[in-house]
Amino acid sequence: MDFFELMHVIYEHLYKIFAFRLQLGSYNFTIGSVIFGLFVISCSIALLQYLFGD
């Protein structure tokens, strides 16, 4: 298995993990969207702390 085949296998598995759907009541979302949402929220909090100090 060369480097590109290995990267392809890793990409396929990550895609399956990130595309896994969660259902919470009437809400339906993927793990990838949850991780992206948490990243955006944490960046927003860090930016607010930087702009307005402590």
Side-chain angles (χ1 to χ4, degrees):
M1 180 179 289
D2 65 349
F3 176 75
F4 295 107
E5 289 179 14
L6 179 64
M7 289 296 112
H8 183 70
V9 169
I10 291 173
Y11 173 77
E12 285 180 347
H13 284 84
L14 284 176
Y15 182 77
K16 288 178 185 176
I17 291 171
F18 275 80
F20 183 74
R21 293 204 164 271
L22 298 172
Q23 189 168 1
L24 184 64
S26 61
Y27 298 106
N28 192 10
F29 45 86
T30 62
I31 292 179
S33 64
V34 171
I35 292 172
F36 183 73
L38 290 174
F39 175 74
V40 168
I41 290 171
S42 64
C43 287
S44 301
I45 292 172
L47 180 63
L48 288 173
Q49 286 180 344
Y50 175 74
L51 290 176
F52 297 110
D54 294 331

